[in-house]
Amino acid sequence: MSDITNLEVALGSRSYHVLVGEGLLAQAGDQVRRVAPAERVTLISNDTVFELYGDAVVQALKAAGYSVDVVRVGDGERHKSLSAATNIYEKLTSFGAQRWDPVVVLGGGVIGDLGGFVAGTYMRGVPLIHVPTTLLAQVDSSIGGKTAVNLPAGKNLVGMFYQPRLVLSDIAVLASLPAKYALGGLSEVLKYGFLEGKDLLAFVEGNLADVIALRSSEMRQVVAWCCKTKARVVSEDERDEGRRAILNFGHTVGHALETLQGYGTYEHGEAVSIGMAAAAVIGLKAGLTDETTARKVVGLLSRAGLPVRLPSVPAEVIAGSILLDKKARDRQMRFVLLRKIGEPVVTSVPEDVVVGSLGQANHLIDRML
Amino acid sequence: MSDITNLEVALGSRSYHVLVGEGLLAQAGDQVRRVAPAERVTLISNDTVFELYGDAVVQALKAAGYSVDVVRVGDGERHKSLSAATNIYEKLTSFGAQRWDPVVVLGGGVIGDLGGFVAGTYMRGVPLIHVPTTLLAQVDSSIGGKTAVNLPAGKNLVGMFYQPRLVLSDIAVLASLPAKYALGGLSEVLKYGFLEGKDLLAFVEGNLADVIALRSSEMRQVVAWCCKTKARVVSEDERDEGRRAILNFGHTVGHALETLQGYGTYEHGEAVSIGMAAAAVIGLKAGLTDETTARKVVGLLSRAGLPVRLPSVPAEVIAGSILLDKKARDRQMRFVLLRKIGEPVVTSVPEDVVVGSLGQANHLIDRML
């Protein structure tokens, strides 16, 4: 019970708490009961995560008096689909799930987005509890209420804002993460560092080996730090109409790469890492980001073991995909660029500057390393 | 422009106006532009309605400077499905529809629920304008933000609350409604009369022939009256957690009948009419509704030409369907019953009272007529 960090996402009647600490899976039953008392609960998870932690969570829920039905979804981004959602809806009706029965979503960002969307739309919304099991989900996707599924035309094109009642981030689960997933989350951690300034970034930089190794003592601090930042930004702008856009640093190019390569070639965090490096170059070419800042971004991502070079896709094709994405307007592309570390700016960049920057990006990035 | 009634649904930052009057279709372009300026608009309609009014609305939108893409959906409740929603999403992406491009939904309750759900979930929500073309949609489903699609297990099991930016109710379209649809709406009009008291009910009763014939001068008053009632109830309880439940008068049994018969056997309003008659009988048997009130409900529905007798489905089967529906809890069934005209009560009724009442309902109803 010791060392649980309790953060609030302040959203009026939709406010909720994010708990960060070790051993929270074992408390899941009591914690869920506090926010959603009922007779039964539906646990939505994916195959890999359920193998690792499913029993622990089911036992905790049963110990708190719930009857538990489990829905397992296959692994990977391709299951974040309308057809997967349809399958879950049909299971919920077969369980007799009612509007007050909580849905607990156990897994990473994919299952969080999918399970959140289902919980937000089944019977026009049932109580949702996120139990994120990847670093990426703990520091980012479990907080803030963005839910979504993909369409063939692009990622996250169908979704809604639906806030959970509670987020339980058990740091202990990070120890069993495959390295690929750990790196993805590290990319988001560095994003918070670039956006929020020097303290978090200095801590990560100074403890890079331990952070990459996901050592619990460092991660508890890092995750709580990131969650606090995310909670504050979400409280200021729940529906992503203003300030929250800064959280898209690296995501404009990142999403385009994920769409173009087909889901699954890059982990989300890897695509975002390349996107942040690209945003550093675009900022440099647009005269907004200074060379020291760009070098800091590219260098730290690279030292953390994250990819920074663009794949061999023509710059025009990447730009075309960005224009189709929901962040584009009037053939101006909205980018989050860094004036300096800790000073993000949301700005429009003309198509030709984007294309020109992307065309030169790998050359410039190689020179910074 | 004369005789337009302008009502506000007061919901803070989600407030919007409902315009009721003749000739509003021709103003659609200018009115949509006021709430959702953009370069293009998607018009979602169904085959029958689009044949009648599609051109008028498309022309009005074009005259206001919009480029217009049209999505047509087949007629009928069976199209209120996840697969229909999926088709529309794919059309929206093929049009390059962006998050600021409005969706105008032209049609009755089915297309309104489906189009509203798509607008609420595409890119996590795009501007939505309802142009309801049935009496039912004008007085009820276009106001209040309930959107939904059906699952095989039941009606409206997937959906969300998503408020439109504007509702345009053109009274002139009612003149061309097939009688079956007109009756369905009349059922909801009478519902508002039963719930809200004597003035509306007396007006409808005193002008029953003209109201049934959907004469414009009477309908403008009736529709505005109903919309005002609905707007007030929605403003008090947007998410249907309290007072808004009174609007479900007749819907508990009504939904069950629609589910059991397969969608489309009854029009929604017909099922609700039978449901209101059933609620009158249940209220009577539960000792809550007096005989005069029950007789008034059953008699007026019948005189309006609406069905009041239950189909030959065993009472236990109807009760079982209600228990699966989202209004059930702990094998108690939530019903809206009338203490008197204008005095609705939301209350739990034990399963055996419901089954007993439904078993005797047709016998009692025949005696009241």
Side-chain angles (χ1 to χ4, degrees), chain A residues 254-284:
Chain A
H255 272 178
L257 294 178
E258 288 178 280
T259 301
L260 290 170
Q261 300 280 326
Y263 310 136
T265 307
Y266 291 113
E267 285 300 313
H268 177 68
E270 295 173 318
V272 169
S273 175
I274 298 172
M276 289 190 282
V281 170
I282 292 166
L284 201 59

PDB file of all heavy atoms in Angstrom, chain A residues 254-284:
ATOM      1  N   GLY A 254       4.124  10.970 -37.186  1.00  0.00           N
ATOM      2  CA  GLY A 254       4.027   9.621 -36.622  1.00  0.00           C
ATOM      3  C   GLY A 254       2.796   8.867 -37.116  1.00  0.00           C
ATOM      4  O   GLY A 254       2.888   7.729 -37.581  1.00  0.00           O
ATOM      5  N   HIS A 255       1.615   9.506 -37.023  1.00  0.00           N
ATOM      6  CA  HIS A 255       0.389   8.860 -37.511  1.00  0.00           C
ATOM      7  C   HIS A 255       0.476   8.549 -38.997  1.00  0.00           C
ATOM      8  O   HIS A 255       0.029   7.499 -39.444  1.00  0.00           O
ATOM      9  CB  HIS A 255      -0.823   9.749 -37.260  1.00  0.00           C
ATOM     10  CG  HIS A 255      -1.445   9.536 -35.925  1.00  0.00           C
ATOM     11  ND1 HIS A 255      -2.533  10.264 -35.485  1.00  0.00           N
ATOM     12  CD2 HIS A 255      -1.150   8.664 -34.924  1.00  0.00           C
ATOM     13  CE1 HIS A 255      -2.865   9.859 -34.272  1.00  0.00           C
ATOM     14  NE2 HIS A 255      -2.048   8.903 -33.908  1.00  0.00           N
ATOM     15  N   ALA A 256       1.004   9.499 -39.740  1.00  0.00           N
ATOM     16  CA  ALA A 256       1.103   9.281 -41.186  1.00  0.00           C
ATOM     17  C   ALA A 256       1.955   8.047 -41.482  1.00  0.00           C
ATOM     18  O   ALA A 256       1.595   7.219 -42.321  1.00  0.00           O
ATOM     19  CB  ALA A 256       1.691  10.522 -41.863  1.00  0.00           C
ATOM     20  N   LEU A 257       3.060   7.905 -40.755  1.00  0.00           N
ATOM     21  CA  LEU A 257       3.919   6.735 -40.980  1.00  0.00           C
ATOM     22  C   LEU A 257       3.198   5.442 -40.619  1.00  0.00           C
ATOM     23  O   LEU A 257       3.296   4.443 -41.340  1.00  0.00           O
ATOM     24  CB  LEU A 257       5.211   6.851 -40.160  1.00  0.00           C
ATOM     25  CG  LEU A 257       6.152   7.987 -40.574  1.00  0.00           C
ATOM     26  CD1 LEU A 257       7.367   8.017 -39.659  1.00  0.00           C
ATOM     27  CD2 LEU A 257       6.579   7.841 -42.036  1.00  0.00           C
ATOM     28  N   GLU A 258       2.465   5.480 -39.513  1.00  0.00           N
ATOM     29  CA  GLU A 258       1.728   4.266 -39.127  1.00  0.00           C
ATOM     30  C   GLU A 258       0.703   3.895 -40.191  1.00  0.00           C
ATOM     31  O   GLU A 258       0.519   2.732 -40.521  1.00  0.00           O
ATOM     32  CB  GLU A 258       1.026   4.474 -37.791  1.00  0.00           C
ATOM     33  CG  GLU A 258       1.989   4.499 -36.620  1.00  0.00           C
ATOM     34  CD  GLU A 258       1.258   4.746 -35.313  1.00  0.00           C
ATOM     35  OE1 GLU A 258       0.928   5.918 -35.019  1.00  0.00           O
ATOM     36  OE2 GLU A 258       1.005   3.791 -34.574  1.00  0.00           O
ATOM     37  N   THR A 259       0.004   4.898 -40.730  1.00  0.00           N
ATOM     38  CA  THR A 259      -1.010   4.635 -41.755  1.00  0.00           C
ATOM     39  C   THR A 259      -0.359   4.092 -43.023  1.00  0.00           C
ATOM     40  O   THR A 259      -0.823   3.106 -43.597  1.00  0.00           O
ATOM     41  CB  THR A 259      -1.767   5.930 -42.095  1.00  0.00           C
ATOM     42  OG1 THR A 259      -2.374   6.424 -40.900  1.00  0.00           O
ATOM     43  CG2 THR A 259      -2.851   5.672 -43.139  1.00  0.00           C
ATOM     44  N   LEU A 260       0.719   4.749 -43.444  1.00  0.00           N
ATOM     45  CA  LEU A 260       1.344   4.378 -44.713  1.00  0.00           C
ATOM     46  C   LEU A 260       1.965   3.000 -44.665  1.00  0.00           C
ATOM     47  O   LEU A 260       1.955   2.263 -45.644  1.00  0.00           O
ATOM     48  CB  LEU A 260       2.411   5.413 -45.085  1.00  0.00           C
ATOM     49  CG  LEU A 260       1.850   6.778 -45.487  1.00  0.00           C
ATOM     50  CD1 LEU A 260       2.979   7.788 -45.591  1.00  0.00           C
ATOM     51  CD2 LEU A 260       1.111   6.673 -46.812  1.00  0.00           C
ATOM     52  N   GLN A 261       2.534   2.636 -43.521  1.00  0.00           N
ATOM     53  CA  GLN A 261       3.226   1.354 -43.439  1.00  0.00           C
ATOM     54  C   GLN A 261       2.269   0.215 -43.132  1.00  0.00           C
ATOM     55  O   GLN A 261       2.680  -0.929 -43.107  1.00  0.00           O
ATOM     56  CB  GLN A 261       4.294   1.418 -42.343  1.00  0.00           C
ATOM     57  CG  GLN A 261       5.351   2.473 -42.557  1.00  0.00           C
ATOM     58  CD  GLN A 261       6.416   2.020 -43.540  1.00  0.00           C
ATOM     59  OE1 GLN A 261       6.741   0.854 -43.595  1.00  0.00           O
ATOM     60  NE2 GLN A 261       6.927   2.935 -44.343  1.00  0.00           N
ATOM     61  N   GLY A 262       1.006   0.525 -42.946  1.00  0.00           N
ATOM     62  CA  GLY A 262       0.117  -0.514 -42.430  1.00  0.00           C
ATOM     63  C   GLY A 262       0.370  -0.608 -40.944  1.00  0.00           C
ATOM     64  O   GLY A 262       1.499  -0.436 -40.488  1.00  0.00           O
ATOM     65  N   TYR A 263      -0.677  -0.818 -40.186  1.00  0.00           N
ATOM     66  CA  TYR A 263      -0.514  -0.854 -38.745  1.00  0.00           C
ATOM     67  C   TYR A 263       0.398  -2.007 -38.370  1.00  0.00           C
ATOM     68  O   TYR A 263       0.325  -3.080 -38.923  1.00  0.00           O
ATOM     69  CB  TYR A 263      -1.873  -1.036 -38.068  1.00  0.00           C
ATOM     70  CG  TYR A 263      -2.904  -0.086 -38.562  1.00  0.00           C
ATOM     71  CD1 TYR A 263      -4.187  -0.518 -38.847  1.00  0.00           C
ATOM     72  CD2 TYR A 263      -2.588   1.245 -38.780  1.00  0.00           C
ATOM     73  CE1 TYR A 263      -5.133   0.353 -39.327  1.00  0.00           C
ATOM     74  CE2 TYR A 263      -3.521   2.116 -39.262  1.00  0.00           C
ATOM     75  CZ  TYR A 263      -4.794   1.668 -39.537  1.00  0.00           C
ATOM     76  OH  TYR A 263      -5.724   2.530 -40.005  1.00  0.00           O
ATOM     77  N   GLY A 264       1.260  -1.752 -37.402  1.00  0.00           N
ATOM     78  CA  GLY A 264       2.028  -2.858 -36.845  1.00  0.00           C
ATOM     79  C   GLY A 264       3.484  -2.867 -37.277  1.00  0.00           C
ATOM     80  O   GLY A 264       4.307  -3.512 -36.645  1.00  0.00           O
ATOM     81  N   THR A 265       3.807  -2.169 -38.358  1.00  0.00           N
ATOM     82  CA  THR A 265       5.211  -2.139 -38.769  1.00  0.00           C
ATOM     83  C   THR A 265       6.021  -1.389 -37.729  1.00  0.00           C
ATOM     84  O   THR A 265       7.068  -1.849 -37.277  1.00  0.00           O
ATOM     85  CB  THR A 265       5.355  -1.465 -40.136  1.00  0.00           C
ATOM     86  OG1 THR A 265       4.468  -2.112 -41.032  1.00  0.00           O
ATOM     87  CG2 THR A 265       6.780  -1.588 -40.644  1.00  0.00           C
ATOM     88  N   TYR A 266       5.523  -0.208 -37.365  1.00  0.00           N
ATOM     89  CA  TYR A 266       6.094   0.509 -36.234  1.00  0.00           C
ATOM     90  C   TYR A 266       5.181   0.364 -35.033  1.00  0.00           C
ATOM     91  O   TYR A 266       3.957   0.469 -35.182  1.00  0.00           O
ATOM     92  CB  TYR A 266       6.189   2.017 -36.514  1.00  0.00           C
ATOM     93  CG  TYR A 266       7.195   2.393 -37.557  1.00  0.00           C
ATOM     94  CD1 TYR A 266       6.770   2.924 -38.762  1.00  0.00           C
ATOM     95  CD2 TYR A 266       8.554   2.251 -37.317  1.00  0.00           C
ATOM     96  CE1 TYR A 266       7.687   3.305 -39.722  1.00  0.00           C
ATOM     97  CE2 TYR A 266       9.471   2.629 -38.280  1.00  0.00           C
ATOM     98  CZ  TYR A 266       9.035   3.146 -39.480  1.00  0.00           C
ATOM     99  OH  TYR A 266       9.930   3.517 -40.420  1.00  0.00           O
ATOM    100  N   GLU A 267       5.745   0.177 -33.873  1.00  0.00           N
ATOM    101  CA  GLU A 267       4.993   0.458 -32.671  1.00  0.00           C
ATOM    102  C   GLU A 267       4.686   1.953 -32.654  1.00  0.00           C
ATOM    103  O   GLU A 267       5.466   2.756 -33.185  1.00  0.00           O
ATOM    104  CB  GLU A 267       5.831   0.112 -31.422  1.00  0.00           C
ATOM    105  CG  GLU A 267       5.951  -1.356 -31.145  1.00  0.00           C
ATOM    106  CD  GLU A 267       4.602  -2.014 -30.929  1.00  0.00           C
ATOM    107  OE1 GLU A 267       3.789  -1.474 -30.161  1.00  0.00           O
ATOM    108  OE2 GLU A 267       4.362  -3.067 -31.549  1.00  0.00           O
ATOM    109  N   HIS A 268       3.551   2.301 -32.012  1.00  0.00           N
ATOM    110  CA  HIS A 268       3.145   3.702 -31.964  1.00  0.00           C
ATOM    111  C   HIS A 268       4.278   4.614 -31.465  1.00  0.00           C
ATOM    112  O   HIS A 268       4.579   5.642 -32.074  1.00  0.00           O
ATOM    113  CB  HIS A 268       1.918   3.835 -31.058  1.00  0.00           C
ATOM    114  CG  HIS A 268       1.451   5.235 -30.881  1.00  0.00           C
ATOM    115  ND1 HIS A 268       0.887   5.962 -31.906  1.00  0.00           N
ATOM    116  CD2 HIS A 268       1.461   6.061 -29.800  1.00  0.00           C
ATOM    117  CE1 HIS A 268       0.577   7.173 -31.456  1.00  0.00           C
ATOM    118  NE2 HIS A 268       0.908   7.251 -30.187  1.00  0.00           N
ATOM    119  N   GLY A 269       4.925   4.200 -30.392  1.00  0.00           N
ATOM    120  CA  GLY A 269       5.980   5.029 -29.807  1.00  0.00           C
ATOM    121  C   GLY A 269       7.172   5.202 -30.734  1.00  0.00           C
ATOM    122  O   GLY A 269       7.832   6.253 -30.738  1.00  0.00           O
ATOM    123  N   GLU A 270       7.463   4.186 -31.516  1.00  0.00           N
ATOM    124  CA  GLU A 270       8.555   4.299 -32.483  1.00  0.00           C
ATOM    125  C   GLU A 270       8.194   5.314 -33.571  1.00  0.00           C
ATOM    126  O   GLU A 270       9.021   6.148 -33.965  1.00  0.00           O
ATOM    127  CB  GLU A 270       8.841   2.934 -33.116  1.00  0.00           C
ATOM    128  CG  GLU A 270       9.367   1.914 -32.126  1.00  0.00           C
ATOM    129  CD  GLU A 270       9.489   0.525 -32.743  1.00  0.00           C
ATOM    130  OE1 GLU A 270       8.566   0.102 -33.484  1.00  0.00           O
ATOM    131  OE2 GLU A 270      10.500  -0.135 -32.479  1.00  0.00           O
ATOM    132  N   ALA A 271       6.957   5.220 -34.047  1.00  0.00           N
ATOM    133  CA  ALA A 271       6.519   6.172 -35.066  1.00  0.00           C
ATOM    134  C   ALA A 271       6.553   7.599 -34.517  1.00  0.00           C
ATOM    135  O   ALA A 271       6.938   8.544 -35.217  1.00  0.00           O
ATOM    136  CB  ALA A 271       5.113   5.810 -35.550  1.00  0.00           C
ATOM    137  N   VAL A 272       6.153   7.753 -33.246  1.00  0.00           N
ATOM    138  CA  VAL A 272       6.171   9.083 -32.632  1.00  0.00           C
ATOM    139  C   VAL A 272       7.606   9.587 -32.485  1.00  0.00           C
ATOM    140  O   VAL A 272       7.880  10.785 -32.652  1.00  0.00           O
ATOM    141  CB  VAL A 272       5.432   9.070 -31.279  1.00  0.00           C
ATOM    142  CG1 VAL A 272       5.669  10.362 -30.502  1.00  0.00           C
ATOM    143  CG2 VAL A 272       3.937   8.848 -31.498  1.00  0.00           C
ATOM    144  N   SER A 273       8.515   8.685 -32.178  1.00  0.00           N
ATOM    145  CA  SER A 273       9.921   9.086 -32.058  1.00  0.00           C
ATOM    146  C   SER A 273      10.427   9.654 -33.387  1.00  0.00           C
ATOM    147  O   SER A 273      11.022  10.742 -33.433  1.00  0.00           O
ATOM    148  CB  SER A 273      10.769   7.880 -31.631  1.00  0.00           C
ATOM    149  OG  SER A 273      12.136   8.231 -31.626  1.00  0.00           O
ATOM    150  N   ILE A 274      10.176   8.933 -34.475  1.00  0.00           N
ATOM    151  CA  ILE A 274      10.553   9.453 -35.795  1.00  0.00           C
ATOM    152  C   ILE A 274       9.837  10.783 -36.048  1.00  0.00           C
ATOM    153  O   ILE A 274      10.424  11.734 -36.576  1.00  0.00           O
ATOM    154  CB  ILE A 274      10.206   8.431 -36.899  1.00  0.00           C
ATOM    155  CG1 ILE A 274      10.997   7.132 -36.681  1.00  0.00           C
ATOM    156  CG2 ILE A 274      10.488   9.018 -38.288  1.00  0.00           C
ATOM    157  CD1 ILE A 274      10.576   5.993 -37.599  1.00  0.00           C
ATOM    158  N   GLY A 275       8.569  10.850 -35.629  1.00  0.00           N
ATOM    159  CA  GLY A 275       7.792  12.082 -35.807  1.00  0.00           C
ATOM    160  C   GLY A 275       8.375  13.257 -35.033  1.00  0.00           C
ATOM    161  O   GLY A 275       8.364  14.398 -35.519  1.00  0.00           O
ATOM    162  N   MET A 276       8.888  13.007 -33.828  1.00  0.00           N
ATOM    163  CA  MET A 276       9.493  14.098 -33.051  1.00  0.00           C
ATOM    164  C   MET A 276      10.788  14.572 -33.711  1.00  0.00           C
ATOM    165  O   MET A 276      11.057  15.779 -33.780  1.00  0.00           O
ATOM    166  CB  MET A 276       9.745  13.650 -31.611  1.00  0.00           C
ATOM    167  CG  MET A 276       8.455  13.496 -30.810  1.00  0.00           C
ATOM    168  SD  MET A 276       8.697  13.252 -29.015  1.00  0.00           S
ATOM    169  CE  MET A 276       9.163  11.519 -28.955  1.00  0.00           C
ATOM    170  N   ALA A 277      11.576  13.608 -34.214  1.00  0.00           N
ATOM    171  CA  ALA A 277      12.798  13.997 -34.929  1.00  0.00           C
ATOM    172  C   ALA A 277      12.427  14.818 -36.168  1.00  0.00           C
ATOM    173  O   ALA A 277      13.058  15.850 -36.459  1.00  0.00           O
ATOM    174  CB  ALA A 277      13.599  12.751 -35.308  1.00  0.00           C
ATOM    175  N   ALA A 278      11.386  14.367 -36.883  1.00  0.00           N
ATOM    176  CA  ALA A 278      10.947  15.106 -38.072  1.00  0.00           C
ATOM    177  C   ALA A 278      10.460  16.505 -37.697  1.00  0.00           C
ATOM    178  O   ALA A 278      10.739  17.487 -38.400  1.00  0.00           O
ATOM    179  CB  ALA A 278       9.839  14.328 -38.791  1.00  0.00           C
ATOM    180  N   ALA A 279       9.729  16.603 -36.560  1.00  0.00           N
ATOM    181  CA  ALA A 279       9.238  17.916 -36.121  1.00  0.00           C
ATOM    182  C   ALA A 279      10.407  18.833 -35.748  1.00  0.00           C
ATOM    183  O   ALA A 279      10.338  20.056 -35.948  1.00  0.00           O
ATOM    184  CB  ALA A 279       8.278  17.756 -34.936  1.00  0.00           C
ATOM    185  N   ALA A 280      11.468  18.246 -35.221  1.00  0.00           N
ATOM    186  CA  ALA A 280      12.652  19.049 -34.915  1.00  0.00           C
ATOM    187  C   ALA A 280      13.246  19.628 -36.200  1.00  0.00           C
ATOM    188  O   ALA A 280      13.614  20.816 -36.257  1.00  0.00           O
ATOM    189  CB  ALA A 280      13.693  18.197 -34.175  1.00  0.00           C
ATOM    190  N   VAL A 281      13.300  18.793 -37.233  1.00  0.00           N
ATOM    191  CA  VAL A 281      13.846  19.259 -38.511  1.00  0.00           C
ATOM    192  C   VAL A 281      12.924  20.298 -39.152  1.00  0.00           C
ATOM    193  O   VAL A 281      13.382  21.329 -39.660  1.00  0.00           O
ATOM    194  CB  VAL A 281      14.058  18.056 -39.467  1.00  0.00           C
ATOM    195  CG1 VAL A 281      14.388  18.540 -40.872  1.00  0.00           C
ATOM    196  CG2 VAL A 281      15.164  17.149 -38.923  1.00  0.00           C
ATOM    197  N   ILE A 282      11.622  20.044 -39.115  1.00  0.00           N
ATOM    198  CA  ILE A 282      10.668  21.002 -39.694  1.00  0.00           C
ATOM    199  C   ILE A 282      10.765  22.343 -38.959  1.00  0.00           C
ATOM    200  O   ILE A 282      10.754  23.412 -39.576  1.00  0.00           O
ATOM    201  CB  ILE A 282       9.236  20.425 -39.659  1.00  0.00           C
ATOM    202  CG1 ILE A 282       9.129  19.240 -40.629  1.00  0.00           C
ATOM    203  CG2 ILE A 282       8.196  21.494 -40.009  1.00  0.00           C
ATOM    204  CD1 ILE A 282       7.879  18.379 -40.449  1.00  0.00           C
ATOM    205  N   GLY A 283      10.873  22.262 -37.623  1.00  0.00           N
ATOM    206  CA  GLY A 283      11.006  23.486 -36.842  1.00  0.00           C
ATOM    207  C   GLY A 283      12.274  24.258 -37.205  1.00  0.00           C
ATOM    208  O   GLY A 283      12.271  25.492 -37.295  1.00  0.00           O
ATOM    209  N   LEU A 284      13.330  23.504 -37.426  1.00  0.00           N
ATOM    210  CA  LEU A 284      14.608  24.107 -37.824  1.00  0.00           C
ATOM    211  C   LEU A 284      14.460  24.807 -39.171  1.00  0.00           C
ATOM    212  O   LEU A 284      14.838  25.976 -39.329  1.00  0.00           O
ATOM    213  CB  LEU A 284      15.635  22.966 -37.924  1.00  0.00           C
ATOM    214  CG  LEU A 284      17.124  23.246 -37.841  1.00  0.00           C
ATOM    215  CD1 LEU A 284      17.486  23.905 -36.524  1.00  0.00           C
ATOM    216  CD2 LEU A 284      17.893  21.921 -37.993  1.00  0.00           C
TER     217      LEU A 284
END
